[in-house]
Amino acid sequence: MAVSESDILRSEVRWAMIVGVAVAVIFAAVIYTGIELHVNPPSNIETIDPKALHLSNEFTESNLGTRVEPEGRITTRIVATQFAFDPPCVVVPANEPVTLRLTTPDVIHGILVTGTNVNTMIVPGYVAQVHTVFTKTGDLLMPCHEYCGLGHSQMWATVRVVPRESFRPDAEGRVACD
Amino acid sequence: MSVESEAEDRPWQVRASVIVVAIVVVAALLGFVVLPVVQGRSAGVDAFSAICRALGLQAGSPAVRQPVSATRAEPVSLVAWTEEVIARLHNPNEENGSDLAANICASCHGADGVSPDPAFPHMAGQSAFAIYKQLHDFKNGARGNEIMASVVEQLDDEQMADIAAHFAYFTKGALDPTTPVTNDPAIVRLVERGITARGLPACASCHGAHAGGPIETPTLAGQRHEYLAAQLRAFAKGERRNDIYHRMRDIATKLTDSEIEELAAYYAGIGLYQRIK
Amino acid sequence: MTSVARLTKAHLWIAFAAFLVACVFGIWQMWARSPLATPYVIAEHYFLSVTAHGVAMAFVLTTFFIMGFGYFTAETALDRPLPGKPWAWAGFFLAVAGTLMAVAAILSGQASVLYTFYPPLTGSPFFYLGLVLVVVGSWIWCILMIVAMREWKGAHPGAPVPLAMFATVANAIMWLWTTVGVAAELLFIVIPASLGWVDTVDVGLTRTLFSWTLHAIVYFWLFPAYIAFYTMAPQAAGGRLYSDMMGRLTFVLFLVYSLPVGLHHLFMDPEHSTGFKFVQMSLTVLVAVPTLLTVFTISASLEIAGRLRGGRGLLGWIPALPWDRPMVLATGLSFVMLFFGGGGGLVNMSYGLNALIHNTSWVTAHFHLIFGGTVVIMYFAICYAIWPRLTGHEAGTQDAQRLQLWLWFVGMMIMSLPWHWLGLHGQWRRVAQFDYTNPIIAAWGPWVTTSLVGGILLFASAVVFVWNLAALRADRKAPVAPFAFATAVHQPARVPASLNGFGLWNVLVLVLMIAAYGWPIAQFFVLQPPHAVVHRVDRGG
C-alpha cells in the first residue's frame, strides 16, 4: 500500500478532531439543558428509616396523596409497597409545578408516568423526589418499573391530571381521587 | 526498560495524565459549582446550599427549594422491624416461650398451636414475625379484639417474641388439613397469577414459598377457613386496619364475597408441607 | 491444532450451552409479555426465567467465552505455550462448579432476584457463592494473561506486544478492577445477608457497589468484539490494519473510561447527588471516543482491502469487499447494530434525557442491540474463524454460517427496534404480564408481537450456530497453516512504553476511581443511612 505513515497520522488527527467536536456538542447540549432549563436527575439525599416509615410524621397514611401546603406548593406523597402504591390514585393539577415525594417501607421500587419524563427509583432508606409540571390532562399510568418481587407486574397506580379549575382542595388542602 | 525509551515515554505519561485530570477538573467545576449556582440563583437557593446539594452534603435539588411537612403521625401499627426485634425472634428464650404458650395460649389455640375451635386461628408453624406483630397490635389497640387485648395486656415485647418464636419453630409442619382443596381455576389463577387488570397481585407473591414479601406476612396454608374469611371481610370493611399502607385493605376491597369464601377454602385446604417444601 | 485447543473448546462449549438455554428462556419471556395467550405463566416461573436468562447470558456465556478466547489468543498471538496451563484448568473447573451451584439455586426457585440482585431481596447463598466462584475462576484467567504477556516481554525486550494480546491483557486488567465492586457487594453485604448473619442491609451502598461493576462489565463483554475488529476483520477482508497505535489507544481508553462511569446507571436514584452524577456523565461521554476511533480505523482498514480488490471511487470499495466471508459479514452487520445501539446509548447516558427512558424497554433494546447484536455476532464470527484451528476441521461450505449471521442480524433488528419504540411510549421493564385491556397498553400489542417474531429468528439462528460448530467435525481437514492475526500497514518496530504496558493507565484508573467513586461510596459510612430489612426469597415468608 502506498499510504505513508504521516498520511495515516494526519487522517487520524483529523478524525480525532471530528470526534472531539461531536463529544463537545453532546456535552454542550447537556450543559445548556442544565443551565437554561434546570434539568437535573432526581437526586435527593434525604434519609428516612424504612423500618419505621409508618411511624414517621410525613409518611403517615392520612398524609399520603396530594396536598396544597400552607405555603401554596403542591406536594404529592406516595408510598410504594409490595405490591401496591398508597394511595393507588393521585390527583394533580395541569400546568402547575408539582413535587412528587416517594418512599418505601420494604424493597427497591421505581416509577415512571407514561407520556411524561417523570421517572425515579425508590430506594429504601431515602425519600425520592421529582419536581415536574404535568401538561396533558387525563388518567396517566404510573407503574412500578423496578423488580420488587413476584407481584411486580400487578403494581401500578393512576395519576389523574385535572384542569386547574377542577382541582379543588378541601379545608386541609388535600385533593383525592373519587 | 532503557533510559532512552523512558525519556521517549515521558511525554506520553505527562500528556495523558494532564488530559485525564483536566477533564475531571472541568467536569467537577461544572457539576459542583457552575450548574448548581446558576440553577439555585433563579430558584432562590443560596449558592452555598446549592453547592452543598450538588456535593450531596444537603438534601434536595440545587434547582428547587425543599418542601416541608408539618403533619403528625397517626400510625396504624406501632411495630417497627428493628434489628433488636428481629434478633429476638431469631434467638428467643425457648423455655419462656413454651411456658407462656402453655399458660396463656393453649386453651384457645391448642397446646401444639392447632386450634380446636374454627373461630380461632391455628398458630402451629405460623411465621414468628406475623404472630409477634399481631400480639403487639392487640396490645396497643392497633387491632381490635377484646379477648386478645386482655390476654396480651400483661406481656412485654420480649415475652411476645418468645411466644411467637415458640409456635413458629417448635411446631412447624404440625397441621395436616383434611378439608378438600378448591379446584376452581379462577381461584387458582388468582392465587398463582393475580389479575393485572384489577390491580390484584397473586396471593402467592407474598404468601408463597418463594415470595420475599413483607416481613410480617403470615402463613395462610392450612389456616382455619372461618378465620381467613372473617379477616378478609374485616379488611374490606375497614374494621381491621393494622396492615401498614393498606396492603391488605387495598386487596380485600377488590375481592368479591364469593372470591373471599373460595380463597379461604383454598388456603384452608393446603397442607403446610406444601409451603415449606 | 494449538496446545490450548482442548482448554479453549471446553470453555466455548460451556459458553454456548448456556447461550442456547438462555435463548429458550428469552423467547418464552417475550411470549409471556405479548398479547398472545400464555397458559403457563406465573410470576414465580417468569422471574426464575429472567434470572436464568440474565445469569446465563451476562455471566456464563461471556466469562467462559472471554476466557477461552483469551487462552487461544495468548498462545497464537504470542506464539509460545500458555504458562500455567494446570491453573487454567483449575480456573475452568472452579467456574463450572460455580455455574452449577448458581443454576441449581435458580432452578429450585430460590434465587429469583434477577442477575442484578436487588438487595434487600435476597436469594439462596448457593446462588451468590456460585457466582463468586465463576468470578474467582476468571481472576485466575486474568493473572495468567498478565503473566503470559510479562514472560513474552521478558523474552522480547523493547518489542511491541502483539495488538491482540495487548487488548486481551487490557481486558484482564479492566476485569480485575471491574469485579472489585460486585465482589465487595457480595462478600461483605449480600452473602452475609443470605446466610442469615445480618438481618438488614444498606441498600444505597449495595446499589453503588454494583454500579461500579455494571458499566465496565459491558466493556469486558465487548473487548473480544473489538479484538476481532482490529486483528481479525482486516485480515479476513484481505487487507491490513490501518493503524496499530490507534488500536492500542482505543484499548487503553476503554480501560480508563469504562470504570469511573457506573453512576450513570443510577441517574434516577435518590442516594447520589447531582454533582457526582454530572461528573460521571461527563466521563461517560468520553467512552464514545474509543468507539468512534474504532469505527474510523476499521472502516479505513476495510477500505484498504476493498481497494486492493479493485474497488474504485468514494464508496466503490464497499461492494468490492468479500462479504461472503463470515468475519467480514459479521463486522459489517455488527457496525450497523452498533450505529443504532450506540445512538440509543447516547440517550441513556444523557443527564436529562435518561428520565424519559430509564427502566423502559428502550434500555432493554439498547443492551440487546449492543451486547446481543454488536458483540455476540462477533463471538460467532470469532468461533467460525478459530474453530478449524481448534478442531482440525474446516467447513466445506460457509453457506450455513452466512445464513446464521444474517438470521441473527435480522432477528435482532426486528426484536429490538420495536422495543425502542415501546420504551419511548413508556413500556416498563421486568414485567411478567401486561394488562392489554388498558387502552394505553393495548396500543403496544402489535409491536410486542412483532418483536416476538424477531426473537424466534434469533432462536433459530442460535440453533444453527451450535449446529455449525458441532457439524464441523464431519467436514474436511483444515489446512495446517498457523493462525494469523492482522498486521498493520506500518507495523511498528517499537511503541512508547505507555502503549506497551499498563502501569500508567492503572495509576490513572485509580485517580479517576477515587475522584468519581470516592465520596459516593464514603458518604454511606459518613451519613450512616438507615438500613432495610432483608427480604428472603428462598424461604417461606
Side-chain angles (χ1 to χ4, degrees), chain A residues 46-79:
Chain A
E46 181 182 345
T47 58
I48 192 162
D49 189 354
K51 302 184 287 296
L53 185 67
H54 58 292
L55 306 178
S56 72
N57 289 327
E58 182 178 357
F59 288 93
T60 197
E61 274 182 22
S62 54
N63 196 38
L64 301 179
T66 301
R67 184 178 189 185
V68 183
E69 303 288 352
E71 43 163 342
R73 289 179 64 177
I74 301 164
T75 307
T76 301
R77 296 182 177 83
I78 302 169
V79 168

Side-chain angles (χ1 to χ4, degrees), chain B residues 135-170:
Chain B
L135 291 177
H136 202 285
D137 284 352
F138 283 128
K139 184 175 174 182
N140 291 291
R143 181 172 172 189
N145 184 305
E146 280 174 27
I147 304 172
M148 285 306 296
S150 67
V151 169
V152 296
E153 201 178 9
Q154 44 183 321
L155 299 176
D156 62 23
D157 287 6
E158 296 194 346
Q159 288 172 316
M160 288 192 273
D162 291 341
I163 293 173
H166 168 77
F167 284 120
Y169 305 124
F170 180 66

Side-chain angles (χ1 to χ4, degrees), chain C residues 169-300:
Chain C
V169 176
N171 200 18
I173 289 173
M174 191 189 75
W175 183 237
L176 288 172
W177 279 102
T178 302
T179 44
V180 168
V182 72
E185 183 200 5
L186 289 181
L187 295 177
F188 297 127
I189 305 175
V190 175
I191 289 175
S194 75
L195 289 168
W197 296 346
V198 296
D199 297 311
T200 64
V201 293
D202 183 339
V203 183
L205 178 59
T206 62
R207 287 181 68 72
T208 308
L209 290 173
F210 197 75
S211 84
W212 168 308
T213 299
L214 193 52
H215 198 67
I217 197 174
V218 181
Y219 287 90
F220 173 62
W221 307 337
L222 197 90
F223 256 80
Y226 276 64
I227 292 171
F229 289 158
Y230 277 96
T231 67
M232 296 167 103
Q235 179 86 356
R240 288 281 188 89
L241 175 62
Y242 192 61
S243 163
D244 179 272
M245 290 282 271
M246 208 47 124
R248 286 166 199 274
L249 202 58
T250 295
F251 291 120
V252 295
L253 280 172
F254 275 139
L255 167 61
V256 171
Y257 282 118
S258 60
L259 280 152
V261 300
L263 221 52
H264 75 249
H265 290 250
L266 305 184
F267 273 167
M268 292 300 118
D269 274 42
E271 77 275 11
H272 288 290
S273 67
T274 54
F276 279 98
K277 287 177 181 172
F278 186 88
V279 168
Q280 293 217 15
M281 188 269 326
S282 308
L283 300 178
T284 311
V285 179
L286 296 177
V287 179
V289 171
T291 294
L292 291 171
L293 295 181
T294 301
V295 169
F296 174 78
T297 305
I298 301 311
S299 301

